[in-house]
Amino acid sequence: MMNFKSNYVKNCIFFLFMVLLSDVAFSQTTVEGTNIIIRSPDNNISIRFYQKEDTDKNRAIYYTVSYKSKTVINESVLELQLDNHLSESAMALKVDEHKRWMENLKVKKITTSAMDTSWMPVVGEKKTIRDKYNAATIEMVKDDSPIYNVNVEIRAYNEGAAFRFYFPENKKGTYYRILSDNTEFSLPHGTKAWFTSWAQGPYSLLPLEGWTDESERPLTLQLPSGLYACLTEAAMTDYARTKFKLSTTKKNTIVASMYTPADLISPFATPWRVIMVAEKPGGLIENNDIILNLNEPSRIKKTSWIGSGKIMRIMTQTTQDAKDNIDFAAQHCLQYVLFDAGWYGDVFSFGSDATKVTKPDLDLPLIIQYAKEKGIGVWLYVNLQGLYAQSDSLFRVYHDWGVKGVKFGFVQAGSHRWTTWIEEMFRKAAENQIMVNVHDDWRPTGEQRTWPNLMTAEGIRGNEEMPDAAHNVTLPFTRFIAGAADYTICYYDKRIKTTHAHQLAMAVVYYSPIQTVFWYDKPSAYRNEPEIEFFEKIPATWDETKVLQGEIGQYIAMARRSGKEWFVGTMTGNDGRVLKLSLSFLDKGKKYIAKIYCDDPAATTVTKVKVDTKKVSASTILDVPLLPSGGHAIWLTPEK
């Protein structure tokens, strides 16, 4: 019996020894000289970069992110997979045979820097945008192939962390084929994500498990620490779109997922991977200019022809209906009208000519001139087929006609090919002083800084699908982090699932320098409703933006300033509530006149919106009653 126990103990000790030996054999150690921590200017965000090496001398790049010592991203791999063997073979170069292309990168040099500048967007949510960050550049080289140099560029903003790979010019001219981005985002246990699988899909709050598809970006996260984060990309202009998927090998881990490979010529940089962090969900909205800052400055020297404004669609495409819409637009302080799909024939056919009007009772030259005399600009819809076939001359023709903007319809999105194509369309449009609105499954990544003629884009589940109010109060914290979105606000259509004051408030909460209103409506629907004044007075570009209150999927209250006037929009989800709304954002010591537009079942109009006026100041706290799916809007002007 004693021998049995003795042997049992010996066997257990031997087994544990072998387990420990095995762990040592396959463990990784941090590579000396590769560890660096970059902190944001306010010291709240810390990004750690380092390499680890296994016993076979294979290396991997890792990073972590924290906010005020709270974990945002646990240890995560930062890595691309490349396959350049065809180019290497064609150029009689050594063919790289490493299983992981980056497993033999060696750090040559680490440099740090800081930046603090400001710039003014042509249109935007703020008059001035500050670009302030601390940065590090880690220069690396493949230890068996010195022609391959790779830099990791890291920036720490007060608003979040960003990193990308930069490939300097290859002295042998080798071409690069990036097969996949294997970058990980390992999150704290209990993190939940606001998931949607495509740009125009509904949102669901999901744990980091059981996803049926990849998630669209931006991807907003709720961390168990109470923090909020958002994963997205910036400057995706010469690459393939990257969404997010769950890791199949690591729990609580999200992995980047490229739509297609990217074929590139050095020098080039990958898009920025961005991790925004905020203590409140509204902070993500207020800080979304980090995405703009990660893009190149404007390439358009003279921008006086770029003008924000409100636009309505001409529902019936005849000369008389167009004039009626133009008259309505002029009377109600809109700036543009849109001829949507159908004016030049079958939009899905390459046989259609997007310079030829096919409607028998549509005199487009006369309409454009009539609109010009009324101070109204004309936009035209052109589908992908027309843009693809005719873009060499199309924008010049439209400029000669006096057209102000083009709505791109049903664009292809995701692949490297179609990413570079649409960037080329922005350039061609700009050369001919044409503004752009991109529709369907495409979302911006900050390129509106580089091409400020890119006014807005769809990539949103808006009033074309008539979503419910809960969806509407999720959008500001998700899709709108990417920038302007064309939700297509409706007002009179009976299919809307919200109150009318909810639709009014959208014009404040939803940023779009070309703001579509009256999407499914005709001028004949107007019955002198007094609250239409709010649409008349509200601008579409802003000097200042503040998120006053909000919870994702529940409610939101936002205030935006243009000049000396403020506009406030409050929206609730499917549940009613009463909010206490402080006006402390107003200038101290000044009095303001507040025009208040709110839902009122007792109102005599069909829209059931009441308009009140009261004097307020920065010390005022308003009671804001919100019906289920309701809204509330305020126009504030200084007292004279």
Side-chain angles (χ1 to χ4, degrees), residues 16-32:
L16 289 171
F17 175 78
M18 292 303 295
V19 168
L20 291 171
L21 186 64
S22 175
D23 286 344
V24 171
F26 291 100
S27 66
Q28 292 178 312
T29 56
T30 303
V31 178
E32 185 178 354

Side-chain angles (χ1 to χ4, degrees), residues 122 298-306 430 433 452:
V122 179
S298 175
R299 295 182 187 173
I300 304 175
K301 293 181 179 179
K302 296 181 179 181
T303 59
S304 58
W305 53 275
I306 299 173
Q433 298 187 353

